[in-house]
Amino acid sequence: LYAIIYGNIILVDSKECLLTLGSDITESKKSEEIKKNKSALLEAQLNSTGDGVLVVDNIGKKVVQNQKTIDIWKIPKHIANNPDDNQQVDYIIKKIKNPQQFLDKIVYLYNHPEETSIDEVQLIDGTILERYSAPVIGENYEILGRIWIFKDVTEKKKNDLKIQQEHSIRTSLIENTLDSIWAIDLNYRIIYTKSAFKTNFNLYFNKQLSDGDYILENWSSEHKVKWQNRYERAFSGERFADIEEYKIDGLNFIFEINFNPMFINKKIIGDSVRSQDITFRKQMEEAIVQSKNELKLVIDNSIDYIYSIDTDYRLITFNKGYDDYIFKTFGINIYVGDRAIFPQFGEGMLS
């Protein structure tokens, strides 16, 4: 229990007497203790946060300021301990790249106490702070002051810029290829399309595509099943390539289509697909094969002796004329891998 005792000397029948009055202040002391505990808890919470926190009342006096605010702004101790916030503002504006813009926002918010605000403040040393401010509202909805929160977002901004640059580079590289590239989620909804793919898809299937579209919509059942099976293989984690042929305006086109599952945190979230027109490459491959066959036919039917050997004098290829010559001359059959020079038939043959 707590009590407050008042005492006073009074005269009673010409005698001095002590008059005492007592008052029970137990509840009042408990209330004070609760307030102290709450204040200590609030101070601990403010100092444990990674953000700078400053609360200013309606007459510009600092009510509370945590250590992070002092550290972020590198505020000297004598200024930090001064309850007058104006002195602190005068100090920190010398560190700001655009001080007038910083001050204009402060003036505006104090003239419009009910508003909240969030913006960025760039310091001369390159530090970037996110500044948030809002009114402090009391129990009776009266505005008691304003809270300012400062978050150092310098590294976040650098990382964001790096991500944007990398994204821009990847997009540029993708867009500058001739391949058609697209990506879908597990519901067959388009989440990315290269502009070339949209153009080619419209050319081949007479359909405009947009992000979010169901990629198998309005396809024939046979075509839909084939492509759905391909996507399902990718959804299961398989990377593979298929060959697809299309006839467009009477011309045959051949495409190599690569399917690659997409992962986030080792979990498959969709499929990225690259389609490359290999029509010309296939035509060249067929032309080369045909040319080789024609050359082989000419060589085989030549009356000349034609053969090739490796560095160990072993036969790589030979025509019928050379085979007949060796058999007629030496009475032996020859095979690929045999030595083309036979020392047992004399020095002339060896040389």
Side-chain angles (χ1 to χ4, degrees), residues 4 31 62 100 150 183 186 229 241-242 250 299 350:
I4 185 168
S31 179
K62 287 181 279 188
Q100 190 58 51
F150 301 96
L186 297 178
N229 288 337
D242 263 353
I299 291 175
L350 178 61

Side-chain angles (χ1 to χ4, degrees), residues 20-225:
T20 60
L21 296 172
S23 177
D24 186 350
I25 60 170
T26 304
E27 292 302 321
S28 176
K29 292 294 288 185
K30 287 182 178 180
S31 179
E32 287 181 11
E33 289 296 326
I34 291 173
K35 288 181 179 179
K36 286 181 181 178
N37 291 337
K38 286 184 176 179
S39 178
L41 178 60
L42 175 61
E43 184 176 354
Q45 290 175 333
L46 290 177
N47 285 323
S48 66
T49 181
D51 302 336
V53 180
L54 169 65
V55 179
V56 182
D57 65 17
N58 289 327
I59 59 174
K61 299 298 181 182
K62 287 181 279 188
V63 178
V64 63
Q65 175 171 259
N66 70 347
Q67 185 61 41
K68 191 64 177 179
T69 303
I70 299 171
D71 295 341
I72 286 176
W73 292 102
K74 300 178 177 63
I75 303 170
K77 187 175 182 180
H78 72 280
I79 295 178
N81 292 337
N82 188 341
D84 184 5
D85 187 50
N86 292 323
Q87 183 186 24
Q88 188 162 291
V89 172
D90 291 340
Y91 172 79
I92 65 176
I93 60 173
K94 298 173 185 177
K95 298 173 173 288
I96 298 172
K97 198 170 184 180
N98 191 340
Q100 190 58 51
Q101 183 180 4
F102 182 85
L103 289 173
D104 288 346
K105 179 54 69 74
I106 293 176
V107 172
Y108 175 83
L109 290 174
Y110 280 124
N111 289 333
H112 301 79
E114 74 287 350
E115 292 196 20
T116 60
S117 170
I118 184 168
D119 61 353
E120 289 182 357
V121 179
Q122 188 166 354
L123 306 191
I124 295 173
D125 65 2
T127 302
I128 301 174
L129 300 178
E130 181 182 88
R131 175 176 61 171
Y132 171 80
S133 183
V136 177
I137 309 296
E139 293 180 357
N140 297 321
Y141 301 101
E142 74 276 22
I143 296 177
L144 304 178
R146 179 164 288 276
I147 184 171
W148 301 87
I149 300 176
F150 301 96
K151 180 191 290 289
D152 189 339
V153 295
T154 309
E155 290 304 315
K156 179 180 181 298
K157 285 292 179 180
K158 289 180 180 179
N159 291 334
D160 289 347
L161 178 60
K162 184 178 179 180
I163 291 171
Q164 290 173 3
Q165 290 173 337
E166 290 176 351
H167 176 73
S168 178
I169 291 171
R170 286 195 298 268
T171 301
S172 178
L173 290 173
I174 291 173
E175 288 295 332
N176 284 319
T177 66
L178 297 177
D179 302 340
S180 292
I181 299 173
W182 68 98
I184 62 171
D185 62 20
L186 297 178
N187 295 316
Y188 306 98
R189 298 285 176 181
I190 296 174
I191 56 178
Y192 171 79
T193 52
K194 180 188 168 186
S195 55
F197 172 66
K198 292 180 180 180
T199 301
N200 292 337
F201 194 90
N202 185 40
L203 176 64
Y204 303 148
F205 303 106
N206 194 28
K207 177 178 172 56
Q208 296 285 351
L209 279 181
S210 301
D211 289 354
D213 285 352
Y214 180 62
I215 197 166
L216 300 176
E217 188 176 4
N218 298 327
W219 284 18
S220 67
S221 58
E222 179 183 356
H223 204 72
K224 181 177 180 178
V225 168

